[in-house]
Structures are given as C-alpha cells and as structure tokens.
C-alpha cells in the first residue's frame, strides 16, 4: 500500500543511509462504534436524569463548553445508561475488543506495509476494561503474529497511555534497530458510566468521553510518518488525586478534580523544554498532535506556547467529532494529519499525551517519507535480527 504523501527533502533519507537507528510512526487506523449520541441528546438526558441536581445549570454549561458535538458508543444509549454490574460490563469489554480490534490492526499493518509476522512487540493500551492475559495474547494466537512476539500491556496511564505507547515503541526500536512495534489502543469509556455518581466532575465526564479503537505501527526501518527523534516524560508533583479511578463493586468510578483544566500552565513549559533540548524552537514547529482532554487544554497551549489555534486543529476536530477517546486521541488526530495531506519531508512535529499523575508523555521528530520496501521475507539478516530480539534479555 503506497503512501500518497510526496517526498520533499532528503534529511531523513541521509539518516537512513548513515545507518542511524530509526523509528517511524506510520499512519494510524481508527474505528468508532456505530451508536452515536449528540451534544443535544446529552444535554436532554442530563436535564431529565438529574432534574433536581443543585448544580444542574453548571453541569449543562460545562458540557456545552466542551464543544463535543458527537460521540460514538459501543451500545445504544438506553443500554449504556443501565448498569448490569461490573462482571457483565467487563465481559462486554472483552467481546467488543475481540470484535473491533482485528480490523484496525489489519489496516495499521497495511498502512505500514508490513505483515503480522514482522512485528516484534505489541503494546496494548486501555483503561476502560481488564483482561488477563492481555488482549495481546489473543492477538498473537489469532492474527498470525509470531509466538515470540513481545507483549507490553499498559493499563493505568489513562489518556497519557497513547503518548506512552509511542515512546516505549521508540525506545524499543532504539534498543533493537530494525524492529517493528504494533500499538493498539482500545477505549470503551461508556462502559465506565456510573449512574450513582452525581458529582460535577463525573457528570461532566458523562458528556465528554467517547469510545474508539485505534492502531499504529512504529517501524524500525522505512515507512512514512513521524520519524521519532526524542521522547520524555514528566510527572507534576502532588497531583496523584486529580485524575483517578475509585475501584468499587460496580467497577471503575472516574474522579476528576476541578483543577485539571488548568494543568497546561504546568505542562506547556515541559513541552517547550523538550523542544529546546532538541535544538529546536516552538515557533518553528510545523505540526502538533496533542491529547485534547477538553477545549481548555488546547486554548491554554495556544496561550502558553504563543501558537495560533490552527496548530491544534486536528486535536480539536477529534474532540468535536468524537469526544475525549482517551489513549486513542493522539492516533485519531495523527490520522487526520495524514488525511489532510502530509507535511513536507523533515517538517518538525510534536506528539503529547496527558493523563493521570498528572503525567505528560511527549515526543518530537521529523516527517519522513519512504516508499514500499522490497523486503525479502527469507532475508537471512532480518531473520537473525528477529532471533536476537526474541532471545535477548
């Protein structure tokens, strides 16, 4: 499958020719469930369900201010509003994941011009259901991945996990040059709806979060997309209880502190610092793909980084059309960048995910274009490298 993006430079190509370690984040694949709820339906339900809530007016205003016009759900809204118990919900999570994930995996592999047998590590991120063994085991057994494929499930980084998955894939490719990593994000936020939670933060989340599955490949050699050059993490001290889950008999109860919308005042300098340490400047950056947990995050990034709103247009579109889809946001926004027309070769970009902790996972890199690979499946060198990856450590 050939990328439609034209090549307009040669810096990344020179890096390849020098034999430097590469890690290119290829075009993601995204899928959303068929059940849709609009903002107007959300507001009407909030009015009906919480008619006597003392802060109903505030909740309605907050939901309207999110700008989320549509969200996708794995169940019809009538089923979503019922709570059959955590066990039933978690079984639904597993069934829906096994139904919906394979297609995005196949598409992501096609986007990266790879086959399942060429993947060395699967990173699976999700904070909305639980499986042990992870879905990675099921994918390996059912989709043609090699039995020695490494598994890395990430379950407790929430919305930051999309950025963390990209960074851990980058690290793996630096450790094992020419290795390939598949990232899978599966988020069914609607399965965490708790009808007994009537706090303002919980009610706001009921109008903010949506469901989606996504996948993307980080190639150790070749591929078109973002050539990852540096990554970093940051934890804001003493903010552990700002975004969290309370795990109760009824499942995961989402807790959101009112201070969360203001976190970009603390995190924008973290993004700038990583860019500066890489020898770049924020004003010279060509694209930004960030987790849009809500509209204020994007507004504040514009303010604190002195950037025009259009620099975050892909993240804003994801928020408007699909809501906060947790760890899948960065992949959906990146897919929109591909759809809009790829940046010029060597264009400078940044990807960031934000989540519980408060945690930021950030990566910077250049746009790289590389055509279809004439990869001989029986190539002795590649086979030796894969055996080394499988047996080392």
């Amino acid at each position: 499958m050939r990328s439609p993006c034209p090549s307009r430079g040669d810096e990344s190509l020179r890096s390849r020719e020098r034999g430097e370690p590469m890690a290119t984040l290829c075009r993601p694949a995204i899928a959303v469930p068929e059940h849709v709820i609009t903002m107007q339906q959300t507001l009407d339900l909030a009015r009906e369900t919480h008619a006597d809530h003392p802060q109903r007016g505030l909740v309605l205003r907050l939901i309207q201010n999110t700008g989320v016009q549509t969200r996708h759900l794995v169940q019809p809204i009538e089923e979503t509003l019922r709570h059959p118990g955590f066990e039933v919900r978690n079984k639904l999570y597993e069934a829906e994941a096994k139904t919906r994930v394979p297609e995005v995996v196949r598409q992501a592999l096609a986007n990266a011009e790879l086959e399942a047998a060429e993947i060395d590590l699967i990173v699976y991120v999700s904070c909305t259901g639980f499986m042990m063994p992870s879905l990675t085991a099921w994918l390996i057994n059912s989709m043609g991945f090699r039995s020695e494929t490494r598994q890395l499930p990430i379950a407790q980084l929430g919305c930051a996990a999309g950025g963390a998955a990209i960074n851990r894939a980058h690290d793996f490719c630096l450790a094992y040059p020419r290795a390939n990593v598949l990232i899978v994000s599966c988020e069914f936020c609607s399965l965490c709806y708790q009808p007994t939670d009537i706090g303002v933060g919980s009610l706001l989340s009921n109008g903010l979060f949506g469901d989606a599955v996504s996948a993307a490949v980080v190639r150790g050699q070749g591929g078109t997309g973002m050539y990852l050059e540096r990554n970093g993490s940051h934890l804001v001290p003493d903010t552990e209880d700002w975004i969290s889950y309370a795990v109760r008999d009824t499942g995961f109860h989402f807790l959101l502190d009112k201070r969360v919308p203001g976190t970009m005042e603390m995190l924008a300098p973290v993004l700038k610092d990583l860019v500066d340490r890489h020898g770049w400047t924020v004003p010279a950056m060509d694209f930004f793909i960030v987790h849009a947990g809500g509209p204020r995050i994007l507004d504040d990034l514009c303010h604190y980084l002195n950037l025009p709103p259009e620099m975050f247009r892909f993240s804003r579109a994801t928020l408007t059309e699909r809501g906060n889809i947790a760890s899948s946001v960065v992949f959906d926004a990146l897919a929109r960048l591909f759809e809009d027309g790829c940046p010029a070769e060597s264009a400078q970009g940044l990807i960031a995910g934000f989540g519980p902790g408060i945690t930021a996972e950030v990566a910077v890199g250049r746009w790289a274009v590389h055509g279809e690979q004439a990869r001989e499946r029986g190539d002795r060198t590649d086979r030796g490298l894969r055996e080394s990856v499988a047996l080392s450590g």
Side-chain angles (χ1 to χ4, degrees):
M1 183 172 183
R2 188 177 298 278
S3 168
C5 305
S7 174
R8 293 183 288 273
D10 60 0
E11 187 164 347
S12 296
L13 180 58
R14 288 198 300 270
S15 295
R16 287 184 172 88
E17 291 172 344
R18 289 194 297 265
E20 297 175 3
M22 303 292 297
T24 301
L25 176 59
C26 300
R27 184 173 189 160
I30 312 291
V32 292
E34 60 276 15
H35 306 290
V36 179
I37 183 170
T38 65
M39 176 185 283
Q40 189 57 55
Q41 289 173 307
T42 301
L43 293 170
D44 290 344
L45 283 169
R47 292 189 185 97
E48 296 168 9
T49 308
H50 304 286
D52 299 325
H53 195 287
Q55 294 180 290
R56 188 183 70 159
L58 172 61
V59 171
L60 295 176
R61 288 195 300 274
L62 290 173
I63 291 174
Q64 285 181 305
N65 290 341
T66 64
V68 177
Q69 296 301 317
T70 54
R71 292 175 294 145
H72 294 256
L73 312 174
V74 292
Q75 301 179 98
I77 187 60
E78 297 79 11
E79 295 296 323
T80 301
L81 296 176
R82 299 190 183 100
H83 198 321
F86 180 55
E87 180 180 358
V88 173
R89 278 192 171 174
N90 204 61
K91 286 181 177 178
L92 180 61
Y93 167 88
E94 180 175 345
E96 292 290 344
K98 290 180 177 179
T99 298
R100 299 176 187 274
V101 165
E103 181 53 37
V104 297
V105 167
R106 282 189 283 267
Q107 185 59 57
L109 291 171
N111 291 346
E113 301 170 4
L114 293 177
E115 297 179 358
E118 296 176 282
I119 296 297
D120 302 291
L121 167 70
I122 302 176
V123 183
Y124 179 75
V125 295
S126 180
C127 63
T128 52
F130 181 79
M131 294 173 61
M132 192 171 73
S134 163
L135 190 74
T136 52
W138 180 83
L139 289 171
I140 291 170
N141 285 327
S142 61
M143 292 197 66
F145 296 96
R146 303 182 339 271
S147 59
E148 62 264 34
T149 305
R150 295 186 178 185
Q151 306 171 63
L152 179 59
I154 301 177
Q156 293 158 304
L157 277 176
C159 298
I166 293 168
N167 289 349
R168 300 298 75 78
H170 180 201
D171 295 341
F172 189 83
C173 288
L174 292 178
Y176 301 105
R178 300 179 73 182
N180 300 308
V181 181
L182 171 68
I183 300 170
V184 180
S185 166
C186 178
E187 301 289 15
F188 302 138
C189 302
S190 64
L191 297 182
C192 295
Y193 171 71
Q194 298 290 348
T196 60
D197 290 352
I198 58 171
V200 171
S202 179
L203 295 179
L204 171 61
S205 71
N206 295 340
L208 178 63
F209 287 93
D211 299 344
V213 294
S214 57
V217 171
V218 175
R219 285 187 56 149
Q221 183 182 47
T224 292
M226 184 174 174
Y227 162 41
L228 304 167
E229 298 187 24
R230 180 188 291 264
N231 72 65
S233 301
H234 183 82
L235 180 74
V236 180
D238 303 319
T239 58
E240 293 172 62
D241 58 349
W242 287 23
I243 302 174
S244 62
Y245 271 169
V247 184
R248 301 171 184 158
D249 290 343
T250 49
F252 305 135
H253 290 246
F254 183 68
L255 304 178
L256 183 69
D257 190 278
K258 63 182 179 181
R259 292 170 288 185
V260 169
T263 51
M264 289 307 105
E265 183 175 2
M266 296 173 278
L267 290 179
V270 173
L271 307 189
K272 182 179 183 300
D273 179 66
L274 187 70
V275 172
D276 290 345
R277 283 190 286 117
H278 200 55
W280 298 349
T281 64
V282 167
M285 301 289 282
D286 299 293
F287 63 92
F288 290 81
I289 301 296
V290 303
H291 173 77
R296 184 172 168 184
I297 287 178
L298 302 178
D299 295 341
D300 281 1
L301 283 175
C302 290
H303 172 71
Y304 291 115
L305 296 178
N306 194 26
L307 292 169
E310 69 176 19
M311 294 302 291
F312 301 100
R313 63 190 182 278
F314 303 115
S315 298
R316 182 87 63 177
T318 295
L319 180 65
T320 300
E321 298 174 19
R322 291 176 176 173
N324 183 339
I325 49 177
S327 63
S328 279
V329 168
V330 291
F331 301 110
D332 188 90
L334 181 61
R336 293 172 188 270
L337 173 62
F338 273 92
E339 292 166 5
D340 187 66
C342 298
E345 176 95 355
S346 296
Q348 299 173 358
L350 177 146
I351 295 180
F354 312 117
I358 297 291
T359 299
E361 289 279 346
V362 192
V364 293
R366 303 175 191 269
W367 202 260
V369 179
H370 198 273
E372 288 184 7
Q373 304 298 300
R375 295 166 62 94
E376 180 62 44
R377 299 298 186 265
D379 182 83
R380 187 174 306 165
T381 302
D382 279 354
R383 185 166 61 246
L385 282 169
R386 300 211 184 290
E387 290 171 355
S388 174
V389 169
L391 296 175
S392 63

